Amino acid sequence: MSPIGRFRALPLRSRLALLVTTAVAVAVAAVAAVAWFMARAQLENQLDSSLRATNAEAQANQVFARRGCVPGPLDPSDVSNNLSAQVQLVLANGGRCWVDGRNTLELTRIDLEVARRERGATFYDTRTSDGVAVRVYTQPAVLGTVNAALSVAKPLGDIDTPLSTLAWVLLLVSGIGVIGAGAAGLWVARTGLRPMGELTGAVEHIARTEDLTVRIPDEGDDEIARLSRSFNSMTAALASSRDRQSQLIADAGHELRTPLTSLRTNIELLARSEETGRAIPPEDRKELLASVKAQMTELAALIGDLQELSRPDAAAPGPLQVVPLHEIVGSALSRARLRGPELAFEAELEPWYVRGEAAALERAVVNVLDNAVKFSPPGGSVEVALRSGELTVRDHGPGVPAEDLPHVFERFWRSESARALPGSGLGLSIVARTVQRSGGTVALRAAADGGPGTEAVLRIPGAPTPPPAAPSEGVVDDQ
């Protein structure tokens, strides 16, 4: 497994602690390196300043006047080391004159160039005759009347020793910082991810027990609290959906029981007549068969309504298209006239184009008109108007009590006055679902003029004219 794969295989807490430790280690290492290099540069500048400030030319002339130009000390008594440095003179012809110090310096090309006035004062690093690393400052000098170069050197150990000590101190402090950062990162990871652990435990509990009543504390406004609130909202929605599903099944079973019981009774009567040989009077037999047919129709309509309501919004049978609502309402009116031939339908339909499913919208309008037909008195009228995207369907029946209006769009809900009439109580639920899918609203209210009856109002966004058709792809204008 690659290092990245092994890293991803670690628990989130360990990965977070490792990332924090790595980040702190990189930061501490960078700070330590910068501090070390800055200290080194400062010490080198101080050493160069001390070499530049050394007044060695006067002592060089005194030694030269007393002893002449000799390459090194004759005995230890000659070493004064008043300057705390190695000092020598370099002649233009390559000769060296010892001035002070316990060792002599190596002769370099730089010394000769300075002595010959080919170069100015220069700093460089070299070693003494006994191998000690030194920093050398070579500057032009005059020995009597002869041009020379005066080289002053001090051991690099003067800066290497404190730099080495500083490096060990920085290493120790960095190590302690990294270890502390790792421990702090692990503590922060455990503390910060504790709500995630609770969330994980809750999810595992729900997966194991299907208990959607579990809630996670969601105090605060941070991301974890928002995630907890989202999780609580999700479980609440799932619990509500499951309750609605259970209620739907219970209500559907209750609604199916009545027509199935009646259908079973009628079929048993017909079967008993065939088994016993006792014929049922023709009129009674005709009524039984008509009842069976009506119950089968009611069952088919109920099953169709249940299928429509059980379909998720995301699983719509077709894409939303721009459709003429006025034509859909006209088609629904034609079907409604067949169901209520004794009623008078008054229609005023203005053009209105909406985005939706033509079949679903027609079924919704038919359901609204069916309600108007069902509750209209014999010889009554149904008024239908479509103006500026607002469709109103008004009947002249007994109306819906005000206390029942908030419940009319609930599944299987039926008012007391409607329980004796055919229907499943799902029609208006389908209407609300279809209209909302098209971005509209639906409401049921008392007649606006204060007269008898009820008005159903559907508002669907759209326009009085269809949108312009998109140009066909691949068409080239030769003009």
Side-chain angles (χ1 to χ4, degrees):
M1 184 183 295
S2 64
I4 296 178
R6 286 194 296 270
F7 176 76
R8 291 179 176 175
L10 294 174
L12 180 59
R13 184 183 295 109
S14 300
R15 280 185 282 168
L16 183 58
L18 184 58
L19 287 174
V20 170
T21 303
T22 303
V24 172
V26 171
V28 169
V31 171
V34 170
W36 188 86
F37 281 106
M38 290 183 65
R40 178 184 176 184
Q42 185 66 24
L43 290 174
E44 287 182 348
N45 287 336
Q46 291 179 357
L47 181 60
D48 291 347
S49 298
S50 67
L51 289 173
R52 191 182 292 110
T54 302
N55 187 16
E57 188 171 356
Q59 183 171 343
N61 282 293
Q62 292 176 3
V63 172
F64 181 76
R66 185 177 68 248
R67 297 183 42 187
C69 183
V70 296
L74 301 176
D75 55 63
S77 61
D78 292 331
V79 180
S80 64
N81 207 16
N82 294 328
L83 303 176
S84 300
Q86 311 290 334
V87 184
Q88 73 177 8
L89 284 167
V90 178
L91 303 179
N93 59 6
R96 291 184 297 172
C97 305
W98 177 87
V99 177
D100 202 353
R102 298 185 178 276
N103 305 99
T104 58
L105 302 176
E106 295 180 356
L107 182 62
T108 65
R109 178 179 54 82
I110 296 176
D111 299 331
L112 293 175
E113 291 177 353
V114 173
R116 295 166 184 169
R117 299 300 187 268
E118 297 174 359
R119 175 197 291 263
T122 305
F123 288 97
Y124 66 92
D125 295 337
T126 186
R127 293 183 177 274
T128 61
S129 58
D130 58 353
V132 177
V134 291
R135 179 77 166 168
V136 180
Y137 175 61
T138 300
Q139 58 183 335
V142 177
L143 187 61
T145 59
V146 179
N147 289 336
L150 181 64
S151 297
V152 182
K154 288 189 176 183
L156 285 175
D158 292 348
I159 61 174
D160 289 341
T161 300
L163 283 176
S164 178
T165 304
L166 178 61
W168 283 107
V169 170
L170 290 175
L171 182 62
L172 177 62
V173 173
S174 300
I176 295 174
V178 170
I179 295 174
L186 186 59
W187 177 80
V188 170
R190 288 179 177 176
T191 304
L193 295 178
R194 185 177 295 113
M196 294 294 294
E198 296 176 356
L199 180 61
T200 303
V203 172
E204 292 174 347
H205 173 78
I206 292 174
R208 185 174 59 255
T209 63
E210 298 186 2
D211 179 14
L212 296 175
T213 62
V214 176
R215 295 293 180 269
I216 300 176
D218 55 1
E219 295 84 3
D221 295 322
D222 57 4
E223 289 77 6
I224 299 297
R226 290 171 54 193
L227 179 60
S228 299
R229 282 192 289 271
S230 300
F231 178 80
N232 291 337
S233 299
M234 180 189 68
T235 54
L238 288 175
S240 177
S241 176
R242 187 171 66 179
D243 292 342
R244 288 197 302 269
Q245 183 181 18
S246 300
Q247 186 64 38
L248 176 63
I249 294 173
D251 292 340
H254 175 75
E255 293 294 330
L256 288 169
R257 187 179 296 112
T258 300
L260 285 174
T261 302
S262 179
L263 184 62
R264 178 181 178 181
T265 301
N266 292 335
I267 292 177
E268 285 178 349
L269 286 175
L270 293 172
R272 190 179 299 113
S273 172
E274 295 294 331
E275 292 172 357
T276 60
R278 297 174 59 183
I280 299 176
E283 291 297 328
D284 294 341
R285 183 180 180 85
K286 183 177 180 180
E287 290 181 3
L288 282 175
L289 291 176
S291 177
V292 168
K293 183 178 179 181
Q295 289 151 8
M296 292 294 293
T297 302
E298 185 177 352
L299 279 175
L302 179 59
I303 291 173
D305 291 344
L306 288 173
Q307 288 178 336
E308 174 67 21
L309 288 175
S310 64
R311 187 181 69 191
D313 292 338
L320 299 181
Q321 298 178 343
V322 177
V323 294
L325 183 60
H326 53 284
E327 295 181 6
I328 292 173
V329 176
S331 177
L333 272 171
S334 300
R335 296 170 59 180
R337 288 189 176 98
L338 296 176
R339 301 181 186 186
E342 76 283 359
L343 300 177
F345 288 87
E346 301 175 8
E348 181 184 348
L349 306 179
E350 296 179 356
W352 193 253
Y353 294 86
V354 300
R355 187 174 296 276
E357 303 174 42
L361 287 172
E362 183 173 349
R363 180 172 185 176
V365 177
V366 167
N367 285 346
V368 174
L369 292 173
D370 277 347
N371 274 356
V373 170
K374 187 188 305 181
F375 291 101
S376 292
S381 64
V382 177
E383 301 168 6
V384 181
L386 175 60
R387 302 185 185 94
S388 301
E390 180 177 281
L391 174 65
T392 59
V393 178
R394 192 265 176 89
D395 62 59
H396 292 78
V400 179
E403 62 273 13
D404 292 342
L405 287 177
H407 307 286
V408 293
F409 296 104
E410 296 178 5
R411 297 175 181 177
F412 295 106
W413 187 89
R414 303 177 73 186
S415 64
E416 294 294 334
S417 59
R419 295 189 184 277
L421 299 174
S424 62
L426 295 175
L428 290 180
S429 297
I430 294 175
V431 172
R433 176 189 176 97
T434 303
V435 172
Q436 290 170 1
R437 187 182 299 156
S438 297
T441 60
V442 59
L444 213 64
R445 67 190 183 192
D449 57 6
T454 304
E455 280 185 350
V457 183
L458 286 70
R459 297 183 180 89
I460 303 178
T465 58
S472 302
E473 296 183 359
V475 177
V476 179
D477 190 357
D478 294 334
Q479 296 182 356

